[in-house]
Amino acid sequence: MTMVKVMRPIFRPDTHLAYVLYPYQIFHLRLYYKRLKMKDRVFDYFAYIDLYRLGAERGDRIIELLEWDTDEKTIMKPLVEYEEAKKKAFESAITWGNSRVVSWWLPRIEIIEEHFAYKVFWIYEKDGEKLVMDSLNGKEYNLDAMAEKNGRKCRGPFCR
């Protein structure tokens, strides 16, 4: 058993068969913008970096983190290194900040807080189907469709 930090689940099925822990690096960044003949601006930015696909999501705060004692086989290993995740968080913060303020210079960025944590994906059965539920937004996905067990239903150039 391993002790890990988990983002507090908001949604949970009534009963679950299992769960998977998906890796994220969370950053609280502060952006300092200098501006000519105007008041300088400071923004807080919360970046949630997906350590499996290197995606960036913006939050409005750092979500509550819980400590779970879990089996090693439920944990997905990150594919993205810390430095790459940090670079992605800075890039995302600059893009977001530059859309809100006009400045001749890039902002000075300070890391206020950072955490490595996992998002929970619940695996459960409903009406004879195996489903996966995202614990933060409640979206459900068909497990067989995700694993392409029944083959691809969409054929053609616009299918992924």
Side-chain angles (χ1 to χ4, degrees):
M1 299 295 265
T2 306
M3 189 68 82
V4 295
K5 285 186 180 181
V6 173
M7 294 181 228
R8 184 184 62 79
I10 297 169
F11 296 94
R12 180 185 305 243
D14 295 332
T15 61
H16 65 276
L17 304 172
Y19 59 86
V20 175
L21 299 179
Y22 192 90
Y24 273 83
Q25 185 71 43
I26 305 167
F27 293 95
H28 173 192
L29 304 174
R30 188 157 292 147
L31 289 75
Y32 298 92
Y33 281 93
K34 290 276 190 195
R35 302 188 316 160
L36 292 173
K37 297 187 178 188
M38 288 188 270
K39 187 176 172 187
D40 292 348
R41 298 289 303 266
V42 178
F43 293 108
D44 283 319
Y45 185 81
F46 300 91
Y48 289 77
I49 307 300
D50 179 331
L51 296 180
Y52 203 75
R53 295 176 303 159
L54 191 60
E57 300 171 33
R58 186 180 68 80
D60 57 356
R61 61 182 165 81
I62 290 186
I63 193 166
E64 180 184 348
L65 300 176
L66 307 174
E67 295 231 349
W68 279 15
D69 194 18
T70 188
D71 191 2
E72 188 77 29
K73 66 184 175 183
T74 64
I75 300 172
M76 290 180 67
K77 302 293 182 216
L79 298 179
V80 176
E81 297 292 325
Y82 171 80
E83 286 301 320
E84 197 173 0
K86 180 177 158 185
K87 182 179 174 183
K88 183 69 173 181
F90 279 38
E91 175 185 304
S92 176
I94 290 169
T95 301
W96 177 83
N98 286 350
S99 70
R100 279 149 185 75
V101 68
V102 175
S103 175
W104 284 96
W105 305 277
L106 287 175
R108 180 174 60 86
I109 301 175
E110 176 183 351
I111 297 175
I112 304 298
E113 191 176 350
E114 59 186 313
H115 301 279
F116 177 81
Y118 293 93
K119 180 197 275 191
V120 180
F121 283 92
W122 304 106
I123 301 171
Y124 65 103
E125 275 193 42
K126 180 177 166 185
D127 301 329
E129 286 185 306
K130 279 196 174 180
L131 300 173
V132 176
M133 177 188 281
D134 185 321
S135 67
L136 296 183
N137 64 18
K139 289 187 180 176
E140 297 176 331
Y141 306 95
N142 186 304
L143 187 59
D144 289 336
M146 287 174 60
E148 295 185 8
K149 287 189 176 179
N150 298 330
R152 289 179 61 171
K153 292 177 180 44
C154 178
R155 304 215 184 272
F158 300 108
C159 297
R160 286 185 159 182

